Amino acid sequence: MEKYNDGIGGYMSKVYFSSARMKKLNASESLPKKLPKLLEEAGIGEIVEKGNIVAIKIHFGDLEGGGFRYVRPIFARAVSDVVKEHGGIPFFTDTWGLKHVLAAIRNGFNYTTLGAPILPANGIKENFFYTVKLYKYFHLQEVDVAGNIYDADVLINLSHVKGHPSSGMGGAIKNIAMGCTSYKIRGEVHKLERNDNDGRTFQEAMIDVVKAVLRNKVKKHIHINAILDVQPMCDCAPFSDLPIVPDIGIAVSRDPIAVEKFSLDAIDQAPPMPMSLAEKLGLKSGDNKFFKIHGKNPYHQVYAGVKANLGSDKYEVIEI
């Protein structure tokens, strides 16, 4: 195994951001209207070419219908509409095979609301994938990449930022790492949780998966973090709690590491939401909130991503 160096995090990546707080009470200031502008400013026109098949990776929510704080279909529709305007052919996708497609429909995701079909990332029984070998890696030398993700020309990573008991936070990195691979690799990543107490190994393995998934998507991927409904637990949980901070907004970048670092920083700088778990725990602005909630430091995934040369932890915010 070849060791990573200290990474290339010295450069500044651009993160395009629209605040959930409207400057004026006008439809043009609403986030579903601003999301297409964010994508255009971030260079979606350079990524999606006419005829490109575009995988939009999203989390469709839990299988039991108890959770409700995931990316709303109105935002997903805005993304697919932009893809079609540029001549792309979009489809929405997530893991767990056909059963997650059925859960998606129950949770409000369908052709009518999305303007695009839903396909399971790994096929109906999660047995469609390509194995990608990494020459530099933390823990996983070979990674199964979901077949429909691999075969797509473009990957749009549409993530809901929230807490997660294994990685502290789940956002752009986890949306790919645990949603664009096989059940076998997901199991291998979860087994690594026993190696430490603060989530470092788990998060390094997630970076291995992200690196494999993006291997054949050079300059053909873009990342959207919806920093809304930032609840303590993952979208796969069959329940939803109060958000721990007020809604922050939507961030878009061609750099998955920069958009993740921005999201974490914004959450940590935000005040706790009244009556939330964050308030109950006495968290305040400046605290590493998800670390204090779950005991896992979510910044490990950022710094591992820098070491793996997937992006930068330094960013320039361009507000739209």
Side-chain angles (χ1 to χ4, degrees):
M1 168 178 164
E2 188 175 350
K3 296 289 186 180
Y4 286 114
N5 58 26
D6 289 334
I8 54 172
Y11 63 89
M12 297 281 284
S13 288
K14 293 181 179 179
V15 174
Y16 299 85
F17 173 70
S18 285
S19 173
R21 182 67 177 93
M22 299 170 70
K23 295 179 180 177
K24 56 183 177 179
L25 299 179
N26 187 283
S28 64
E29 289 291 312
S30 186
L31 285 176
K33 299 292 185 180
K34 284 194 166 184
L35 179 51
K37 298 177 184 177
L38 287 168
L39 288 167
E40 296 295 347
E41 291 294 324
I44 190 73
E46 300 171 10
I47 296 171
V48 176
E49 302 174 78
K50 186 176 181 180
N52 278 175
I53 296 175
V54 181
I56 305 173
K57 172 61 180 74
I58 190 172
H59 199 302
F60 291 126
D62 74 287
L63 299 177
E64 298 179 28
F68 57 90
R69 296 192 188 277
Y70 36 76
V71 175
R72 293 169 175 80
I74 191 171
F75 293 110
R77 178 61 181 259
V79 175
S80 69
D81 284 347
V82 169
V83 169
K84 288 186 285 187
E85 287 171 7
H86 286 278
I89 305 168
F91 69 93
F92 286 85
T93 189
D94 201 357
T95 189
W96 300 347
L98 182 61
K99 59 185 177 182
H100 214 176
V101 174
L102 299 176
I105 294 169
R106 186 194 60 231
N107 291 339
F109 299 93
N110 52 61
Y111 197 97
T112 300
T113 59
L114 300 176
I118 297 173
L119 298 175
N122 273 325
I124 58 175
K125 291 187 176 181
E126 288 202 272
N127 56 8
F128 174 40
F129 54 81
Y130 298 88
T131 300
V132 174
K133 184 175 182 179
L134 298 176
Y135 298 97
K136 279 190 175 183
Y137 57 94
F138 290 104
H139 306 285
L140 303 176
Q141 185 175 14
E142 292 186 344
V143 174
D144 297 337
V145 177
N148 285 324
I149 302 288
Y150 187 96
D151 283 344
D153 301 302
V154 177
L155 174 60
I156 297 180
N157 182 16
L158 176 53
S159 311
H160 174 219
V161 179
K162 66 280 181 184
H164 193 277
S166 302
S167 56
M169 184 201 79
I173 292 169
K174 183 181 174 296
N175 195 42
I176 292 177
M178 303 304 279
C180 296
T181 189
S182 67
Y183 63 87
K184 173 188 171 184
I185 296 299
R186 289 197 303 270
E188 290 183 11
V189 174
H190 274 296
K191 286 179 183 178
L192 292 169
E193 291 183 65
R194 67 189 66 165
N195 288 7
D196 53 58
N197 294 321
D198 68 348
R200 179 189 297 272
T201 308
F202 179 90
Q203 292 173 65
E204 289 173 344
M206 287 204 304
I207 291 297
D208 287 336
V209 179
V210 173
K211 186 173 183 179
V213 171
L214 297 182
R215 169 72 66 81
N216 72 339
K217 298 290 186 293
V218 178
K219 297 183 179 180
K220 300 290 279 186
H221 57 90
I222 193 165
H223 309 269
I224 307 164
N225 266 3
I227 320 171
L228 309 167
D229 288 318
V230 184
Q231 66 157 337
M233 290 294 289
C234 181
D235 294 347
C236 60
F239 54 83
S240 293
D241 195 9
L242 283 177
I244 64 168
V245 295
D247 285 347
I248 292 171
I250 295 178
V252 178
S253 181
R254 294 167 76 164
D255 182 337
I257 308 306
V259 78
E260 205 82 310
K261 179 64 159 53
F262 169 80
S263 302
L264 279 167
D265 289 346
I267 290 167
D268 287 349
Q269 291 164 12
M273 177 74 88
M275 299 186 294
S276 70
L277 179 59
E279 184 182 67
K280 179 181 179 180
L281 294 175
L283 304 186
K284 58 185 183 302
S285 178
D287 283 339
N288 184 341
K289 293 183 175 65
F290 286 124
F291 182 54
K292 289 182 177 292
I293 290 171
H294 292 297
K296 312 293 183 184
N297 188 350
Y299 287 91
H300 285 321
Q301 59 197 289
V302 169
Y303 300 128
V306 171
K307 287 185 177 181
N309 294 337
L310 284 176
S312 177
D313 59 347
K314 297 177 176 60
Y315 52 84
E316 172 191 2
V317 179
I318 301 169
E319 189 157 1
I320 306 298

